[in-house]
């Protein structure tokens, strides 16, 4: 996040991005590029027409050169400003993506040759399908899948999470990401992406002009804008006959000025920048979207499916109670559990140490004289513990302990089995503690609901979004946690196929569903969901199935993604409303100016008291161009989104962008008119 | 403006409000084929009609089929009327031996009545026989109204249904509209009018001996001015009452007489005037309630009604104010309202109606695409005359024509939802349906066709000799006349500004095209939207859903209508009535 926010603060003033954007805004004048944006294309044609007229006037020494020149220049500026907005958004998006890409250090890879030998190649030479070996201390050279071995991997470079994670072949934890470091063991990795085809590269291409696809809502909005443009084109073209009838024909400069002021140039110029900026904001939060459509859909989500573990509750359960065997005291059990956990740096291990300390006053003991040998947790044994003074203390999952004590012909006592069941039924996870392969008792680890989740769910409810907790727990436990967390509903004892069925059921009711997932068996559901966010730590299949990847692998981020989607849509709507509302003032500036010479009586419509007809028209055109530049920051930043109901949001935005859109140009045009008059840029009347 | 005037306007609004719900409920029961109190008589008749015509009343149609059926029905009706007009001399019930109507005028009139416009480029009492009036024109008053209502119901079905391919059966909707809605009301309504003195007879015109012979200036056979003494007056009569009710109730507006509802045989008393105005708004207003009821969002129905009412009130206030103010040119003339006279600008107005009821009637008839008039809009003050013009330009959606007003305003609803809907942070939804590219395209097409037709025809007419030669006053008033003619045609209103000689080849042809485009090319895209919406899934409403109820939505809808509907015409208006008004203030009249 820190890295990303630096990028963000830099980008608006970054001179390199600015320079590229300026060059790009000229390059985008190419009519073949411009035609993709019908509104600005009309402005460009208008600018071309006035340019031609300007040349003809100059050759014939007719017309008012100063006025014509200024109008023409400002029309070109209007087009350039719109191009600049788009280029800025593109530039920022690329800069952010590149910063992320640089985070993946160029490394050396040990590639397996067909003959079984290894060769050292730079990671950029790896192709999809290559197999590489990664040993302790080495970096994973590219995105891929573990095909052999188990290892703990430090993914903090990508996720920021310091605790190492287990990556093993087969199953849901087989995906590894380039740039992460192996901490134990050696793994064989099959590379799954070619250079230039990673998710990041795909994201960059979504930001860049050439391959950018318009989203469905953008297409619809473009149709509306094109329709409005045609209507106003008609109004202006037919105005000339009416003017001729009235004995006051107009020059091409005035007609084009009126047209450009009326068509929705503000939103037309900023529309693609808004879309790109939405993507940028996702990258800033380390989320990569596979399509613009997905970002848009996330604003529409009605139901959020959230996995309990890691999303609603802290991923790690914490020790909350000790349950000793009848022959053992609780203090003895706590002491042994604490000893077994001293070297265990996982949150669960630490929570056991802390609980023993808080409950029984067992403090850190001087262990060195006892010559302890700590047994770290390993993926194979699923136990950890310590050997000291001939004592073998272990703690682990009931099944693992069961196997471990059985090796010495021991069994887990029936009372403990009963306790284990009870802990599990109550929503907790039991761990068993043994000393010399004798079971001392059980530790209960239970779920802790993350702080602030209740409030977030309340916000979501206010937005009209229902949250649903998915958990493998039994219904009783699930209900308890659901109540505690304040989710609207839950699905207990969920199997992967249940998730799929649930999504289909909700979709049949007309709802849009978002979910997160990481396992291969999540893949169908991720593909079915309207917004499927795959965790970066998830399997390749999951990442392919979803339409977004969260590099931080933080399932809670789904809520932020929804907010970004909403923000994108609001920004679009706000600027459209603003743009359309602007027309009222522009009419009052231009219409009286057009006919002031023929019908001085129309001066009463000049409610802004603009100084001269020339200045009035010029001011309207200048306002129309400058407002694009003025709104670029808003388009890139997005309109602030508050999680309140739709009615309140609409009222507020209508007030700001609707009413504001009517009032702002009256003030703006008047100010520009005063400046023009002060600078003597316009003459008294139009010829 | 007087307290009495405001009281009458307020009473009108109150009665309108009170009848909206019962009419709305009745309409939805009729078209959802639920039980009504008329079933015991009408059900057998309905079944008989279906058996005779071979209609399967349970088979529903997709929007394409619905639209095609409607077009074929309208085309056949149109040709029939054309034949009636062209052959009336040789047919019965023509006691005045009126000649066959000229081809271009017959065509214009046939189109005009088929499209529910009732633009009249002719003088009825000297052009149309009783048969043509009754079997041709009056039939179309029923048929075009029924078509409009059926279309509106089909569109509402499109909005309210989900995951459905069909939007109803055109024949069933049409038949039920005739039998349950139009005929019963017209039967009762014409008796009410007859009781108030509206004529209803098949006898020839009567002749009256003048008490005081009049001398008038005419042209003699040699072309020289001559004076002629008139001692007798021919008084036109006919089967008026039966046609009068449907003319209002179906928002048709085509008068039995040239003077329309200003004629004492069409609209004799203040009561008939009030009754006729209520008839105009009855169905359009009731349909908003039907919309709410069928979409199960009564608040939405009232929000739409609220927008219509607000715009109506603005119009009536402006017209009443402008007319009551009188003409500043007539300095020294007493134009203040008093016990002896109504004051204000009485030119072209009936004394028995006065300023308030003339302004109210003018607003009602142009808000609804009725087009009946009880005063001459051409003689209004520039701003007073701009009210009817603007009312029609807004797209005939302020209550609007029967059916067409409702489906017309739904286009603006969709545009409002689309433009502002994004601001709640979801892609736009209308009552649970996503508004997507296709819907926007069709909505824009529908808006585009009306403005394109009005502006292009008017632009041609103002610069061409065949266009300008018909106008009676030069300058901005002439522009208003031409604008009004095309606006009225496209809006299927049919009221005339007067002053414009519309019975020319150019105007007969061009207004006929404008009427056809304004009716059918506007409704086909809307039917397409309905068909598309019916297909979609419906998202249940939540707190995050865009609200289409309440005052906020009403304001939004009004702003959309004003900005999208009216801004297009602002340049033209500023050169027409606005300029004329300003010139009048500076002492220049046309």
């Amino acid at each position: 996040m820190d890295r990303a926010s630096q990028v963000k603060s830099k980008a608006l003033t970054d001179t390199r991005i600015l320079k590229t954007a300026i060059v790009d805004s000229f390059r985008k004048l190419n009519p073949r590029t411009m035609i993709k944006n019908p509104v600005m294309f009309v402005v460009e044609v208008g600018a071309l027409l006035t340019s031609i007229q300007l040349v003809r006037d100059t050759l014939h020494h007719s017309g008012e050169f100063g006025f014509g020149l200024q109008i023409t220049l400002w029309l070109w500026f209007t087009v350039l400003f719109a191009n600049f907005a788009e280029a800025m958004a593109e530039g920022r998006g690329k800069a952010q993506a590149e910063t992320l890409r640089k985070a993946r250090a160029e490394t050396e890879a040990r590639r397996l040759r067909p003959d079984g030998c290894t060769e050292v190649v730079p990671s950029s030479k790896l192709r999809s399908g290559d197999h590489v070996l990664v040993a302790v201390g080495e970096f994973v050279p590219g995105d891929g899948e573990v095909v052999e071995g188990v290892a703990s991997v430090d993914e903090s470079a990508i996720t920021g999470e310091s605790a190492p994670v287990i990556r093993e072949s087969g199953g849901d934890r087989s995906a590894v990401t380039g740039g992460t470091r192996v901490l134990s063991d050696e793994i064989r990795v099959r590379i799954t992406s070619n250079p230039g085809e990673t998710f990041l590269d795909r994201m960059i291409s979504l930001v860049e002009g050439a391959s950018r696809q318009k989203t469905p809502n953008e297409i619809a909005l473009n149709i509306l804008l094109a329709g409005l443009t045609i209507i106003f084109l008609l109004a202006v073209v037919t105005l000339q006959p009416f003017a001729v009838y009235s004995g006051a024909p107009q020059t091409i400069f005035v007609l084009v000025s009126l047209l450009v002021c009326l068509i929705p140039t503000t939103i037309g110029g900023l529309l693609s920048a808004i879309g790109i900026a939405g993507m940028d904001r996702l990258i800033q939060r380390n989320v990569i979207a596979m399509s613009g459509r997905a970002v848009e859909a996330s604003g529409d989500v009605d139901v959020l499916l959230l996995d309990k573990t890691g999303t609603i509750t802290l991923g790690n359960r914490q020790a909350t109670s000790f349950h000793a065997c009848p022959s053992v005291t609780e203090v003895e059990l706590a002491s042994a559990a604490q000893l077994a956990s001293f070297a265990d740096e996982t949150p669960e291990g630490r929570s056991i140490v802390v609980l023993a300390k808080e409950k029984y006053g067992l403090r850190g003991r001087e262990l060195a004289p006892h010559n302890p040998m700590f047994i770290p947790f390993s993926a194979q044994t699923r136990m950890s513990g310590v050997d000291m003074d001939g004592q073998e203390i272990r703690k682990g999952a009931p099944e693992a302990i069961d196997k471990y004590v059985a090796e010495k012909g021991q069994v887990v006592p029936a009372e403990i089995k009963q306790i284990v069941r009870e802990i599990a039924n109550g929503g907790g996870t039991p761990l068993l503690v043994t000393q010399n392969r004798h079971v001392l008792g059980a530790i209960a680890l239970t779920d802790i609901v993350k702080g602030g989740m209740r409030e977030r769910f309340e916000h979501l409810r206010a937005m009209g979004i229902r949250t649903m907790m998915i958990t493998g727990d039994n219904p009783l436990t699930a209900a308890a946690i659901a109540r505690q967390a304040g989710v609207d509903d839950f699905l207990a004892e969920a199997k992967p196929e249940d998730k799929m069925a649930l999504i289909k059921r909700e979709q049949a009711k007309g709802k849009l569903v978002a979910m997160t997932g990481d396992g291969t068996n999540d893949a169908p559901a991720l593909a079915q969901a309207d917004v499927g966010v795959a965790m970066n730590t998830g399997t390749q299949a999951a990442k392919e199935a979803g339409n977004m990847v969260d590099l931080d692998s933080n399932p809670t981020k789904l809520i932020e993604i929804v907010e970004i989607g909403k923000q994108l849509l609001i920004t679009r709507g706000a600027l459209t409303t603003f743009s359309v509302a602007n027309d009222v003032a522009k009419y009052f500036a231009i219409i009286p100016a057009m006919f002031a010479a023929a019908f001085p009586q129309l001066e009463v419509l000049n409610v802004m008291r603009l100084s001269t007809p020339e200045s009035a028209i010029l001011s309207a055109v200048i306002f129309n161009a400058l407002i694009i530049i003025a709104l670029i920051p808003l388009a890139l930043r997005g309109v602030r989104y508050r999680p309140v109901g739709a009615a309140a949001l609409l009222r507020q935005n209508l007030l700001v962008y609707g009413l504001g859109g009517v009032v702002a140009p009256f003030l703006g045009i008047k100010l520009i008119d005063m400046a023009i008059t002060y600078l003597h840029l316009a003459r008294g009347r139009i010829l | 403006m007087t307290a009495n005037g405001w009281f009458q306007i307020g009473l009108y609004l109150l009665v309108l409000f009170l009848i909206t719900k019962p009419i709305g409920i009745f309409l939805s029961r009729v078209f959802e084929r639920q039980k009504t109190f008329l079933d015991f008589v009408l059900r057998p008749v309905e079944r008989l009609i279906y058996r005779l015509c071979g209609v399967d009343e349970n088979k529903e149609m997709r929007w394409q089929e619905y639209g095609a059926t409607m077009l074929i029905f309208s085309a056949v009706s149109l040709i029939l009327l054309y034949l009636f007009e062209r052959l009336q001399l040789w047919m019965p019930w023509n006691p005045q031996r009126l000649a066959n109507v000229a081809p271009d005028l017959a065509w214009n009139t046939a189109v005009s009545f088929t499209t529910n416009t009732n633009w009249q480029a002719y003088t009825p009492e000297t052009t149309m026989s009783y048969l043509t009036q009754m079997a041709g024109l009056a039939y179309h008053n029923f048929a075009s109204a029924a078509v409009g209502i059926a279309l509106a119901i089909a569109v509402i079905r499109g909005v309210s249904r989900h995951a459905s391919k069909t939007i109803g059966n055109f024949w069933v909707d049409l038949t039920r509209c005739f039998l349950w809605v139009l005929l019963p009301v017209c039967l009762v309504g014409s008796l009410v009018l007859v009781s108030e003195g509206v004529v209803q007879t098949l006898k020839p015109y009567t002749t009256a001996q003048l008490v005081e012979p009049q001398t008038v200036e005419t042209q003699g056979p040699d072309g020289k001015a001559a004076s002629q003494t008139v001692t007798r007056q021919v008084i036109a009569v006919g089967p008026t009452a039966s046609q009068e009710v449907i003319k209002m109730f179906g928002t048709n507006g085509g008068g039995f007489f040239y003077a329309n509802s200003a004629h004492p045989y069409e609209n004799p008393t203040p009561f008939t005037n009030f009754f006729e105005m209520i008839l105009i708004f009855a169905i359009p207003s009731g349909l908003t309630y039907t919309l709410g009821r069928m979409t199960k969002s009564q608040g939405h129905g009232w929000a739409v009604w609220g927008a219509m009412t607000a715009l109506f009130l603005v119009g009536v206030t402006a017209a009443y104010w402008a007319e009551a103010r009188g003409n500043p040119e007539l300095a020294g003339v007493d134009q203040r309202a008093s016990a002896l006279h109504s004051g204000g600008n009485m030119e072209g107005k009936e004394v028995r109606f006065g300023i308030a009821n003339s302004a109210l009637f003018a607003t009602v008839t142009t808000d609804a695409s009725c087009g009946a008039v009880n005063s001459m809009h051409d003689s209004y003050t520039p701003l007073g005359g701009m009210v009817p013009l603007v009312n029609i330009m807004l797209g005939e959606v302020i209550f609007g024509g029967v059916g067409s007003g409702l489906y017309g305003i739904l286009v603006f609803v969709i545009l409002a939802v689309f433009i502002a809907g994004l601001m709640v942070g979801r892609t736009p939804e209308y009552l649970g349906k996503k508004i997507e590219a296709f819907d926007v395209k069709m909505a824009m097409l529908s808006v585009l066709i009306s403005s394109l037709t009005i502006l292009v025809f008017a632009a041609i007419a103002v610069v061409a000799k065949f266009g300008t030669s018909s106008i009676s006053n030069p300058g901005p008033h002439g522009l208003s006349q031409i604008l009004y003619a095309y606006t009225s045609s496209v809006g299927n209103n049919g009221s005339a500004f007067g002053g414009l000689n519309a019975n020319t080849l150019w105007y007969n042809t061009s207004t006929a095209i404008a009427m056809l485009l304004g009716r059918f090319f506007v409704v086909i895209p809307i039917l397409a939207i309905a068909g598309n919406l019916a297909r979609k899934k419906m998202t249940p409403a939540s707190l995050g859903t865009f609200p289409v109820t309440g005052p906020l939505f009403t304001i939004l809808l009004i702003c959309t209508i004003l900005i999208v509907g009216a801004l297009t015409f602002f340049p033209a208006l500023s050169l027409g009535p606005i300029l004329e008004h300003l010139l009048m203030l500076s002492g220049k009249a046309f």
Side-chain angles (χ1 to χ4, degrees), chain A residues 201-245:
Chain A
D201 295 307
R202 249 199 264 176
M203 176 91 181
I204 292 173
S205 75
L206 281 179
V207 169
E208 271 170 349
S211 61
R212 189 172 59 239
Q213 297 271 314
K214 285 198 179 112
T215 62
N217 177 257
E218 256 183 301
I219 293 172
L221 194 51
N222 254 315
I223 291 173
L224 176 89
L225 299 181
L228 287 176
T229 306
I230 297 174
I231 290 181
F232 285 122
L233 190 64
L234 261 168
V236 172
V237 168
T238 53
L239 180 58
Q240 184 71 338
F242 298 144
V244 169
Y245 168 88

Side-chain angles (χ1 to χ4, degrees), chain B residues 495-517:
Chain B
S495 70
F497 210 47
L500 185 79
N501 174 20
N503 191 9
T504 67
L505 186 61
W506 160 254
Y507 281 104
N508 276 336
T509 317
S510 60
T511 52
I513 296 172
M515 288 185 274
L516 284 174
L517 290 174

Side-chain angles (χ1 to χ4, degrees), chain A residues 365-389:
Chain A
R365 285 158 280 184
E366 186 53 54
L367 294 178
H370 304 285
N371 197 14
M373 199 181 79
F374 290 107
I375 314 295
F377 179 82
S378 85
Q380 274 94 5
T381 62
R382 296 172 68 203
M383 288 190 300
S384 62
V386 61
D387 288 348
M388 57 182 233
D389 299 342

Side-chain angles (χ1 to χ4, degrees), chain A residues 609-612 614-616 618-619 669-683:
Chain A
R609 301 274 144 240
L610 304 176
S611 56
T612 68
E614 259 195 17
S615 164
L618 200 52
S619 305
I669 292 174
K670 178 70 191 170
L671 284 176
I672 295 170
D673 174 70
M674 285 158 72
I676 287 177
T677 315
Y678 181 74
L679 297 171
H680 300 289
L681 289 174
R683 303 202 319 180

Side-chain angles (χ1 to χ4, degrees), chain A residues 654-667:
Chain A
L654 266 182
L655 208 64
V656 176
Y657 298 98
L659 193 62
V662 174
V663 175
F666 277 104
L667 302 175

Side-chain angles (χ1 to χ4, degrees), chain A residues 46-333:
Chain A
L48 211 60
L49 283 176
T50 57
S51 305
I52 294 168
Q53 185 64 32
L54 193 66
V55 173
R56 279 170 50 185
D57 281 358
T58 316
L59 293 178
H60 296 104
H61 301 288
S62 62
E64 293 230 13
F65 182 76
F67 176 69
L69 179 70
Q70 289 186 71
I71 291 287
T72 308
L73 282 178
W74 280 106
L75 291 179
W76 283 114
F77 282 147
T78 311
V79 187
L80 286 172
F81 290 167
N83 289 348
F84 177 73
E86 191 180 280
M88 269 302 279
E90 285 176 9
R92 291 180 66 200
K94 273 189 272 186
Q96 263 145 21
E98 263 155 32
T99 317
L100 271 181
R101 183 151 46 187
K102 271 188 204 134
R104 308 171 150 206
E106 179 79 353
T107 51
E108 292 190 328
R110 286 192 291 138
R111 183 161 66 182
L112 275 169
R113 287 211 305 247
D115 58 11
C117 300
T118 58
E119 55 180 356
V120 175
V121 293
S123 58
S124 56
K125 289 275 186 303
L126 291 173
R127 314 292 304 173
S128 174
D130 283 351
H131 285 232
V132 293
L133 287 180
V134 192
V136 181
E138 289 181 340
F139 283 96
V140 178
D143 293 358
E145 216 174 337
V146 181
V147 287
E148 203 179 295
V150 186
S152 53
V153 179
D154 173 13
E155 297 195 333
S156 59
I158 299 290
T159 63
E161 178 64 51
S162 58
V165 292
I166 302 289
R167 294 282 163 239
E168 59 189 345
S169 62
D172 289 345
R173 293 185 295 178
S174 64
V176 285
T177 314
T180 56
R181 198 158 62 95
V182 171
L183 295 180
S184 72
D185 307 286
E186 187 179 60
I187 43 174
R188 198 165 117 186
V189 174
R190 185 168 55 81
I191 299 295
T192 50
S193 59
N194 286 323
E197 281 178 16
T198 60
F199 291 118
L200 260 175
D201 295 307
R202 249 199 264 176
M203 176 91 181
I204 292 173
S205 75
L206 281 179
V207 169
E208 271 170 349
S211 61
R212 189 172 59 239
Q213 297 271 314
K214 285 198 179 112
T215 62
N217 177 257
E218 256 183 301
I219 293 172
L221 194 51
N222 254 315
I223 291 173
L224 176 89
L225 299 181
L228 287 176
T229 306
I230 297 174
I231 290 181
F232 285 122
L233 190 64
L234 261 168
V236 172
V237 168
T238 53
L239 180 58
Q240 184 71 338
F242 298 144
V244 169
Y245 168 88
S246 308
Q250 299 296 312
T251 66
I252 189 98
F253 297 109
V254 175
L255 288 175
V256 172
S257 298
L258 177 64
L259 174 64
V260 169
C261 286
L262 293 183
I263 62 177
T265 48
T266 314
I267 181 65
L270 294 172
L271 185 56
S272 51
I274 295 169
I276 300 167
M279 298 276 217
D280 288 358
R281 281 197 294 279
L282 276 181
I283 308 181
Q284 281 164 24
R285 285 170 182 75
N286 281 353
V287 177
I288 294 175
M290 300 298 156
S291 69
R293 196 190 193 116
V295 188
E296 209 170 270
S298 57
D300 274 349
V301 163
D302 302 291
V303 182
L304 283 189
L305 299 189
L306 298 168
D307 278 324
K308 182 198 74 180
T309 310
T311 311
I312 294 170
T313 61
L314 291 169
N316 310 298
R317 299 170 167 215
Q318 302 205 343
T320 46
S321 59
F322 294 107
H323 304 270
C325 284
S327 57
V328 183
T329 66
E330 277 205 12
V331 182
E332 281 172 318
L333 170 64

